Amino acid sequence: MIELNIDFTAPFIERKDIDEIAPEVLSSTKVLLDRSGAGNDFLGWLDLPEHKDSACVRKINEVAQKLRERIDILVVTGIGGSYLGTRAVVEALQSPFAALRQGESPEVVYAGHHLDGHYLSELLRLLDGKDYAVVVISKSGTTTEPAIAFRLLRNHLEQKYGAAEARERIIAITDASKGALRTAVNNQGYESFYIPGNVGGRYSVLTPVGLLPIAIAGYDIKALLEGAAAMRKQLLEKANDLYNNPALLYVAVRNILYRQGKRIEVMVNYQPDLYYFTEWWKQLFGESEGKEEKGIFPAGVSFTTDLHSLGQYLQEGHRLFFETVLHVQKPKSNLTIPYDEEDLDGLNYLKGKTLHFVNQKAEEGTALAHRDGGVPVMQFQIPEVNAHYLGQLIYMFEFACGVSAYLLGVNPFDQPGVEMYKKNMFRLLGKPGF
Ligand code: PA5
């Protein structure tokens, strides 16, 4: 199981601090589990791992298997919670060079997550010469970015394959009964899945929103759900035992540090394949907690790359941060540093050592340096990056996010602030009614 390591010898956190905040954390947990807090009609995600053997998961695997056999590229079209979970899992599991390793699995590309015309025109140019399908995901069915991308992609599909075949290459994931995308499904007869009404976008990766594209990409969604189910079991069994509940311990530590004035949490990875996991986590916590002038700002870095850029600021800039490290115990593969007769690069002292060993020493050295520099560091111990442990991480962070937001006194499941930019944009674009 995934565990959280806290260095109680560091000056920032002592056991008594945890003991002091524990009653508040446990009462916020009770609010979540009793389903008595704000946004309690959006708690469907709590039980999603239990659906691992459901008819819906079987259908997802069937549809995915059929599609995998006929396409080179899958275009996942969505924004925010409608694409980040997929991207987090796919990029964590695929080869960093997946795009260049043709013929192994459909390559997953993304659209509708911004408004850049150059990106979309290059995508359409690429798709001219590829066999592809589109999974369009929008719970509301009306979000501007994916709606524009989908309109362009649908036109491209129709021109390339004709209207009838285009319809077979579109799968929509949206609300069960309402919204423009559901109407399109009804009118056009697209294959479709629904997002449960009681699951919000950023908590939806374990619904068809994430499961279908992840399965089309060739990854084991049963293992993902089993990992989430194992974590769910532990978190529920230990709902009153903060020290043995990694989600609650994490909530306690991050909120102690927040109250000490550490307003920015930096998620740190030492494997670039976790970059999009951090992006998913940023969205989850940023949209859930950043309200009413409260909340910890979630940021992310990839080390050692960013030690040569932001590392300087973290070491010596404003003391606003704490770090949450994703520590991976077993790498997916490894290399040994060879002996060199001339040793011009002075690396012979590392001969026979693995890259993973060197990476770990970099991690240990950085944690010590940052602690000395006034940055508290905690670590999640992740046995390895696979579907099972990603499932555990996803569920643990979702649970922690719900509890932490309640502890802050905000609704974890709405995002009223997101509407402000939309209103202005629509007015500037001349949308009727704005
Ligand atoms: O977490 C959320 O609710 C948001 O980030 C949404 O996922 C995002 O805005 C996309 O919304 P929709 O799926 O309705 O297009």
Side-chain angles (χ1 to χ4, degrees), residues 156-342:
H156 187 271
L157 276 168
E158 284 171 359
Q159 275 158 25
K160 187 170 163 131
Y161 297 105
E165 190 172 339
R167 274 198 287 276
E168 287 173 22
R169 288 172 178 268
I170 293 171
I171 304 178
I173 305 177
T174 187
D175 185 85
S177 59
K178 54 181 193 296
L181 195 52
R182 181 52 63 189
T183 309
V185 169
N186 295 339
N187 293 349
Q188 300 292 326
Y190 302 142
E191 178 68 90
S192 74
F193 292 85
Y194 71 88
I195 308 167
N198 60 359
V199 181
R202 57 191 175 275
Y203 294 82
S204 70
V205 52
L206 301 177
T207 72
V209 169
L211 297 179
L212 180 70
I214 292 166
I216 298 172
Y219 299 109
D220 186 348
I221 57 171
K222 189 140 192 265
L224 189 75
L225 288 164
E226 277 168 359
M231 180 55 76
R232 178 179 184 274
K233 188 166 179 288
Q234 182 186 357
L235 300 186
L236 296 186
E237 278 174 9
K238 305 284 178 195
N240 288 313
D241 180 3
L242 190 138
Y243 283 99
N244 287 303
N245 184 317
L248 300 189
L249 194 52
Y250 171 60
V251 171
V253 172
R254 67 197 297 278
N255 282 283
I256 291 166
L257 295 169
Y258 177 64
R259 291 174 189 185
Q260 289 175 8
K262 306 287 185 195
R263 295 293 154 96
I264 301 173
E265 176 175 7
V266 183
M267 179 166 275
V268 181
N269 71 69
Y270 284 79
Q271 285 76 15
D273 51 13
L274 291 173
Y275 176 85
Y276 271 96
F277 189 83
T278 302
E279 292 300 298
W280 170 83
W281 167 87
K282 277 162 62 178
Q283 191 224 355
L284 178 67
F285 278 82
E287 261 190 349
S288 299
E289 288 195 324
K291 285 159 204 169
E292 301 171 28
E293 303 195 5
K294 297 183 211 171
I296 300 168
F297 185 85
V301 290
S302 293
F303 287 168
T304 60
T305 310
D306 291 331
L307 285 173
H308 297 258
S309 61
L310 294 172
Q312 171 59 38
Y313 195 108
L314 288 165
Q315 189 69 47
E316 294 185 341
H318 286 288
R319 305 296 70 199
L320 298 167
F321 309 100
F322 62 96
E323 290 178 3
T324 301
V325 178
L326 300 176
H327 173 83
V328 178
Q329 289 166 333
K330 185 171 163 233
K332 286 186 207 149
S333 60
N334 210 346
L335 284 173
T336 301
I337 297 166
Y339 173 76
D340 185 89
E341 199 63 46
E342 288 185 291

Side-chain angles (χ1 to χ4, degrees), residues 33 79 82 85 121 184 204 247 271 288 299 303 329 352 371 389 401 405 411-412:
L33 294 177
I79 195 165
S82 286
S121 49
S204 70
Q271 285 76 15
S288 299
F303 287 168
Q329 289 166 333
R371 277 184 192 123
Y389 288 115
C401 188
N411 179 348

Side-chain angles (χ1 to χ4, degrees), residues 79-82 137-141 143 146 200-202 283 287 415:
I79 195 165
S82 286
I137 308 166
S138 177
K139 186 171 183 198
S140 61
T143 308
R202 57 191 175 275
Q283 191 224 355
E287 261 190 349
Q415 53 284 329

